[in-house]
Amino acid sequence: MKKILAILMALCLLCASLGVLAEEEHGAPLYATVGDALADAEDGRAVVGGIPGEYYAVVTEKDGKYYRNVAYWDEKLSELNLAQDSLDTDAEDFFEKFEAAAEEISAYVKTMPIAYTEVFTAEPLTKEEMAAKSGKTLAELTGEGFEIGSSGTDNDENGETYIFYDLRYGVFDYHCVMDADLEQYDLAQENDDEGSLKVKSMSLLGITEWGFDKRFHTDGTVEEQKDPFAEFSAIMTEFFEAVQNAAPGEEPDLEGVAEKLKAEHPDYADMIDLYMKMYQLYGANFASLLAPAEE
């Protein structure tokens, strides 16, 4: 009995130590609430957002370091969002109710406690590295791994209009002043030749505007974004191939295919059943609609 108690105590201590390690890995909260973090981010570039059902995050900057402050999405926030989504769009007072619901959501989000804070250890390009990008084309920069975000016109401190492109590299965004006038910019867009435009200068904007998303890791690595339609496309393709590969004069074993697909893609079970019913109603005509588009 004493041996069992000793083992249980050791397991408890292990769990406690793992909990401490997890807390240290994330870091103690820099702020008490989301509202506190938002207030501290007012003077900087707003990088806020969340993943519905999971978390809400605010990125703040202190002494050249960037911090992601994370609050867990809770049931109350889900209820408020659902209430807003459920509003009758045909009602005369829809916009008033929608704005009121948005204000209620915003007010509640500000009260949510920050669960933990994590610091970005990734380092942006140095001034020398950014200066070395001058004279390079957008095509050359995208070849180096930069991704084009937004572009347009802005005014400098002298009120002069210039063309800009904001590019992302790793977890940081960079503001590029282009060596082009408005006419050249418009022509490049019309001819799908933006890659030929050259950079005059580059400056750091800060953590990417998507920095609230945890797929942008604090060490600078970025998880590849999953294609939201990949699983859907895979189901359509397999369903179509089952019909196409059936022997002449024979009905395809769609029930078997459907059971296999539902086992592999349980979240799409209802859609797979719908495919079955549509095929039973329309036969090969419906199956042809599922054919993968030719490139």
Side-chain angles (χ1 to χ4, degrees), residues 135-168:
K136 290 195 174 187
T137 65
L138 285 176
E140 289 174 322
L141 291 180
T142 54
E144 293 177 8
F146 285 85
E147 293 184 27
I148 297 176
S150 58
S151 68
T153 61
D154 203 348
N155 295 323
D156 61 20
E157 61 274 10
N158 299 317
E160 297 292 328
T161 301
Y162 66 89
I163 307 300
F164 76 87
Y165 275 79
D166 289 342
L167 310 180
R168 193 186 78 229

Side-chain angles (χ1 to χ4, degrees), residues 67-78:
Y67 300 86
R68 182 159 53 207
N69 306 280
V70 179
Y72 292 123
W73 198 283
D74 60 19
E75 188 175 345
K76 175 68 174 178
L77 184 55
S78 293

Side-chain angles (χ1 to χ4, degrees), residues 17 27 30 83 154 184:
S17 64
L30 277 180
D154 203 348
Q184 292 170 312

Side-chain angles (χ1 to χ4, degrees), residues 130-131 165-167 173-177 199 201-206:
M130 287 188 283
Y165 275 79
D166 289 342
L167 310 180
D173 281 348
Y174 299 87
H175 187 68
C176 298
V177 176
V199 172
S201 64
M202 176 184 285
S203 58
L204 175 67
L205 279 173

Side-chain angles (χ1 to χ4, degrees), residues 186-218:
D186 290 338
L187 190 61
Q189 287 195 314
E190 289 175 12
N191 297 330
D192 196 22
D193 190 30
E194 293 175 277
S196 66
L197 297 176
K198 291 185 177 181
V199 172
K200 182 186 292 184
S201 64
M202 176 184 285
S203 58
L204 175 67
L205 279 173
I207 288 292
T208 175
E209 59 186 340
W210 293 97
F212 65 84
D213 189 336
K214 286 192 268 187
R215 76 182 183 91
F216 292 90
H217 296 180
T218 55

